[in-house]
Amino acid sequence: MDCCEKLTPEFTGEPEIISGNKVIGRRTALKGLAGLASGIIFVSKKNAYGQGRQVLLAFCGQLLCVIPYEVTRARGHFADEGLDVRLVYTRGGSVAMQALVGGSVDYAGTSFDVALQAYSRGAKIVRFASTGRLPLFALASAPKTAKEIRSLKDLENRSVGVSGLGNADHTLVLYLMRRAGADPNRVRFATIGANLLDALRLGQVDAGMVQEPALTLITGAGGGVIANFMDIDEANRHLGGAYEFMGVAVRAEERERRKDEMTGLARALARGLRDTRTIAVKEAVAALPKELITGGNRDRLATILERYRRSLYPDNVKIDLAATNRVADAHKAAGLLAPSVDYKPLLDLSIVGN
């Protein structure tokens, strides 16, 4: 799922979609999405490489998630497939999934957590391409406890900050502690919201699940790293391998009609992923809409991307079944997915030749 959302979103009512500083509903979105291409926070700028069949692809605005999509757009790979892809930024993957299920957009790019929970709650969707293979989290200790908390076992009888109970970061801690032979029932979880940095830096919690750039900032302040799941070597050690994260879903009833379009979208994203892993990192950062990183530190973002890009992003869009199993196992361990749920029909492995 997204980094700061609940895993059990409701798929009824009108999804909130950001349009500048306004929030619009499904009916308005259906009428107005195509005309808002210049609204960067809402829909990424018009394809500069020519017209094509317009496609609306919604996702959250987490930078490390969206970089391959913006690189794909900026380098003309969507246009090469005859697609004018408008990238719709929403308030998290759950809202992107609501927009897909409600018919406001053609595709949704979300974490596998969001797709899995949506499917288990009756959403008629299929996921056909993967663009991220690791969760965007690290488990860090506060500066005052860095010397005392070095392992998952050390979290027992400590306070751990998470964005919310039932969120992806909380689910992952439960799963990892059980894998490590630690007892998560002996942890005091503090629900802090998306911004854990200050609570961790000030020692209000002993450890916490953070993202970048919070990880860089907290380690710079003397905090420690217990496990960094954005690094493929550490993910192999702690998770047993990749952990399916970002990917693209479509409404199941439209699969046959959109099959050629889905194939073209997947081909374009595959080229974009390879570019994201190999082009000059400053060129990848330059592909992002300037409004998305206004006020941010571009040099820090470039450093972070250079560090993680070969770990976070696969070199193709094939769905890794072992990676999806790890996510499902984590959900089951956290009590968020019934053991009897068969999620395999959620996966369409035919589009990219799995």
Side-chain angles (χ1 to χ4, degrees):
M1 72 162 279
D2 288 298
C3 314
C4 52
E5 296 179 312
K6 290 188 179 300
L7 284 173
T8 54
E10 295 295 334
F11 293 96
T12 58
E14 299 217 344
E16 291 186 333
I17 302 177
I18 301 171
S19 176
N21 60 357
K22 299 180 180 179
V23 176
I24 66 175
R26 175 174 175 264
R27 292 183 182 86
T28 307
L30 284 168
K31 295 178 181 178
L33 272 174
L36 292 172
S38 62
I40 298 295
I41 300 303
F42 178 49
V43 182
S44 185
K45 60 187 176 182
K46 188 174 179 179
N47 193 329
Y49 289 84
Q51 294 291 337
R53 186 165 64 259
Q54 190 176 99
V55 172
L56 299 176
L57 194 163
F59 51 47
C60 72
Q62 212 288 345
L63 281 175
L64 291 178
C65 283
V66 307
I67 288 173
Y69 294 79
E70 288 289 3
V71 168
T72 302
R73 179 199 56 76
R75 292 178 68 83
H77 298 316
F78 290 133
D80 289 343
E81 296 292 340
L83 301 173
D84 179 12
V85 175
R86 310 297 176 93
L87 300 175
V88 182
Y89 288 80
T90 67
R91 288 177 175 163
S94 292
V95 179
M97 185 59 71
Q98 288 177 337
L100 175 66
V101 173
S104 300
V105 296
D106 303 305
Y107 299 94
T110 73
S111 69
F112 186 61
D113 303 72
V114 164
L116 181 61
Q117 286 297 317
Y119 176 80
S120 72
R121 293 163 64 85
K124 299 184 185 306
I125 57 171
V126 290
R127 182 176 171 104
F128 63 94
S130 175
T131 61
R133 61 177 181 170
L134 294 178
L136 300 177
F137 297 109
L139 182 58
S141 56
K144 72 173 187 177
T145 60
K147 294 181 179 180
E148 303 164 17
I149 302 177
R150 298 177 179 272
S151 70
L152 289 155
K153 184 72 173 175
D154 294 336
L155 295 178
E156 292 180 346
N157 302 313
R158 296 284 190 167
S159 60
V160 177
V162 294
S163 62
L165 300 182
N167 285 7
D169 50 354
H170 177 232
T171 300
L172 198 53
V173 173
L174 297 177
Y175 178 58
L176 288 164
M177 290 191 71
R178 289 190 175 102
R179 277 182 57 92
D183 184 359
N185 294 318
R186 297 176 63 184
V187 172
R188 301 185 302 278
F189 286 103
T191 57
I192 299 173
N195 187 5
L196 288 162
L197 176 61
D198 286 340
L200 197 58
R201 180 176 56 82
L202 296 173
Q204 295 171 344
V205 290
D206 298 315
M209 289 287 271
V210 296
Q211 299 175 279
E212 288 287 13
L215 179 63
T216 296
L217 295 173
I218 198 63
T219 54
V225 180
I226 303 165
N228 185 351
F229 311 111
M230 294 176 282
D231 182 280
I232 190 63
D233 292 331
E234 291 205 39
N236 287 336
R237 182 165 66 253
H238 291 286
L239 294 166
Y243 188 90
E244 180 75 3
F245 202 68
M246 195 71 172
V248 185
V250 67
R251 288 180 289 275
E253 66 268 22
E254 297 181 8
R255 181 200 174 279
E256 290 304 317
R257 176 170 67 84
R258 291 186 180 274
K259 188 173 181 180
D260 289 344
E261 184 178 270
M262 292 159 65
T263 301
L265 193 65
R267 280 196 299 259
L269 285 169
R271 292 195 292 273
L273 282 169
R274 288 191 288 271
D275 286 348
T276 302
R277 288 166 56 95
T278 59
I279 63 176
V281 69
K282 289 189 176 181
E283 185 177 348
V285 172
L288 295 169
K290 65 180 183 299
E291 289 83 352
L292 193 61
I293 51 178
T294 297
N297 187 318
R298 282 180 174 267
D299 290 337
R300 182 189 295 143
L301 176 59
T303 299
I304 290 169
L305 181 60
E306 182 62 48
R307 177 181 178 185
Y308 293 118
R309 59 179 176 167
R310 290 176 184 83
S311 288
L312 291 176
Y313 310 121
D315 59 6
N316 61 72
V317 293
K318 292 182 178 181
I319 294 173
D320 182 339
L321 289 178
T324 64
N325 285 336
R326 292 184 187 99
V327 179
D329 287 346
H331 284 228
K332 291 174 181 178
L336 295 171
L337 188 68
S340 60
V341 171
D342 178 13
Y343 72 89
K344 295 302 171 61
L346 166 63
L347 306 176
D348 184 342
L349 306 181
S350 67
I351 297 298
V352 293
N354 286 66

